Amino acid sequence: MLAEDSVLLREGLIQLLARFGHEVCAGVGDAPALLEAVAAHAPDCVVTDVRMPPGLRDEGLRAALRLRTEHPGLPVLVLSQYVENSYAADLLATGDGVGYLLKDRVGEVAEFVGALRRVAAGGTVIDPEVVRRLLAPDREPAALRRLTAREREVLAAMAEGRSNGGIARALVVSEAAVVKHVRSILAKLDLPPAPDDHRRGLAVLAFLRRADPGAGTATGAAARAVPPSGGRNPSDP
């Protein structure tokens, strides 16, 4: 299921997903239509833009959160033009099988399709740019200064929702080394051990958001949206 108000982007994504073996059962252009289509088609996964008609603010995100309540466990991947930390946190709070990516990632086809597959399989995907901004020096909590450079790399990957194996492959280290780093990080940040990757990522993201004075809830978030690095500030299609 795909929800995107830009016809060109919507049709392009439908064709892109078809190339990788994914069938889009319905493509819609506004949040109310998304809710109706999910009820009618019972999709395996939903991809939706944050900003959708009728208000072009955060209707897509609100629809995604509602779908997660009405259809527990339904995988949802949300796309956004801007970095907004609270969007990621709101999605993570609904459980496994969620993702938040910047629209720029769609152009990185392999990364986008891989993220969709992870979400559809019940994993968690958080855009690295969200994590990078939360780890920015100007909002760094004192506790993070206890971490080594390698531990900070592992922490960022944890906040993105990566598993120990995924972190090991990304950093080219052994999984045993990752386990050691994770234990050290959780201890230094006074975070309790978590039973799975999702809850671990949620705990880390929650810690980072507590240190971010600008983080809030999705309500009114459009007014606080931050454009991605590079200085571009276009409106959503």
Side-chain angles (χ1 to χ4, degrees):
M1 176 75 62
L2 176 62
E4 166 59 53
D5 63 307
S6 167
V7 176
L8 289 177
L9 181 55
R10 184 168 70 241
E11 293 303 316
L13 282 172
I14 290 174
Q15 294 180 26
L16 173 65
L17 292 172
R19 281 174 46 201
F20 286 86
H22 301 284
E23 179 184 355
V24 178
C25 60
V28 299
D30 59 66
L34 170 60
L35 298 174
E36 294 175 3
V38 169
H41 295 277
D44 296 322
C45 185
V46 170
V47 179
T48 180
D49 189 7
V50 166
R51 293 189 177 187
M52 295 280 287
L56 292 176
R57 291 182 65 84
D58 59 359
E59 284 84 350
L61 174 71
R62 292 180 181 276
L65 296 175
R66 178 173 169 181
L67 288 173
R68 293 284 294 178
T69 299
E70 296 180 350
H71 305 273
L74 174 65
V76 174
L77 176 60
V78 170
L79 303 178
S80 177
Q81 188 72 42
Y82 305 113
V83 173
E84 173 50 56
N85 303 335
S86 64
Y87 289 169
D90 290 340
L91 286 168
L92 278 173
T94 68
D96 299 326
V98 294
Y100 171 88
L101 288 181
L102 291 178
K103 281 188 173 180
D104 287 352
R105 304 295 171 197
V106 176
E108 301 171 17
V109 176
E111 184 174 348
F112 170 66
V113 173
L116 179 59
R117 287 173 176 163
R118 283 173 60 191
V119 170
T124 301
V125 175
I126 299 299
D127 196 283
E129 183 69 7
V130 174
V131 178
R132 188 189 72 79
R133 289 183 181 273
L134 286 171
L135 288 171
D138 61 339
R139 54 181 59 165
E140 178 184 86
L144 287 184
R145 301 187 190 114
R146 308 173 195 163
L147 304 184
T148 66
R150 176 62 82 184
E151 287 172 345
R152 291 174 66 89
E153 292 178 328
V154 174
L155 175 69
M158 289 166 62
E160 291 170 26
R162 294 181 182 272
S163 65
N164 287 344
I167 296 172
R169 288 188 294 274
L171 300 182
V172 195
V173 297
S174 70
E175 194 163 340
V178 172
V179 171
K180 180 180 178 180
H181 288 311
V182 168
R183 288 175 179 167
S184 176
I185 291 167
L186 294 178
K188 290 179 179 179
L189 300 185
D190 296 321
L191 292 174
D196 56 48
D197 299 325
H198 169 78
R199 289 179 175 81
R200 183 179 71 183
L202 180 59
V204 171
L205 189 60
F207 172 84
L208 295 173
R209 287 185 72 233
R210 286 198 300 270
D212 176 10
T217 64
T219 303
R224 302 190 306 276
V226 181
S229 57
R232 294 187 298 115
N233 190 26
S235 57
D236 278 338

